[in-house]
Amino acid sequence: MTSAFEPTQPDPWMPPQPLPPVRTRTNLWHLFFAGLAGAALVGALWVGLDLAHSGSPSAPGGSSGETFDLRGTFTLNSSGYGYSACGGSGDYSDITTGTAVTVYDAAGTVLSQGALGTGRPDGAGTCVFSLAAPNVPSGEKFYLVEVSHRGRIMVQPEDARAGKVALTLGN
């Protein structure tokens, strides 16, 4: 039986008694093998992920690392150039040797920048320029090619890689 003077719960005015220290013993071999197992697991995951991605098609943006030089022609149907020089005049004065050629991916990210080469006359009022943009990343579903500020034209990857890009401006 409990007396009314014996406390059944700890006295709230008394500070708590510290617990006796717990002695733990860590075996160094356990730590060594746990570290070795962790390193083996990380290595296995790394190799597994690398093998999983090695057979997959390249991701957008050409993550495979392969590149190619986009080549083709740009035909300007205009008038006003002399027989010794080939280039645009009037509304087409921005089209000449060295005019910027920009290649974009579907999202509008610039992939490469090149230029028009020397143009050659090809009939009355027509000038044909070589077109080139180096180191275009492979693996895109399509490419958008823009000469100067004249708008982006969609080009299929097969044509881009084969040098069969043929763009035209003017009537």
Side-chain angles (χ1 to χ4, degrees), residues 46-59 63-64 66:
W46 191 351
V47 169
L49 289 174
D50 188 44
L51 290 174
H53 289 293
S54 67
S56 65
S58 62
S63 65
S64 68
E66 291 184 38

Side-chain angles (χ1 to χ4, degrees), residues 10-20:
D11 185 2
W13 301 106
M14 297 275 301
Q17 295 294 324
L19 294 175

Side-chain angles (χ1 to χ4, degrees), residues 82-169:
Y83 289 106
S84 62
C86 194
S89 63
D91 290 340
Y92 300 126
S93 62
D94 59 320
I95 306 298
T96 185
T97 301
T99 296
V101 174
T102 308
V103 181
Y104 303 88
D105 65 7
T109 303
V110 174
L111 300 176
S112 177
Q113 292 184 314
L116 293 180
T118 304
R120 61 176 167 72
D122 188 33
T126 301
C127 187
V128 179
F129 295 89
S130 61
L131 173 145
N135 302 319
V136 177
S138 298
E140 297 296 323
K141 292 181 182 178
F142 61 87
Y143 297 92
L144 298 170
V145 180
E146 183 175 37
V147 175
S148 185
H149 63 280
R150 299 295 178 156
R152 299 173 186 179
I153 305 297
M154 184 170 49
V155 175
Q156 294 301 317
E158 304 81 35
D159 294 337
R161 289 183 73 80
K164 295 182 180 179
V165 176
L167 306 179
T168 302
L169 177 63

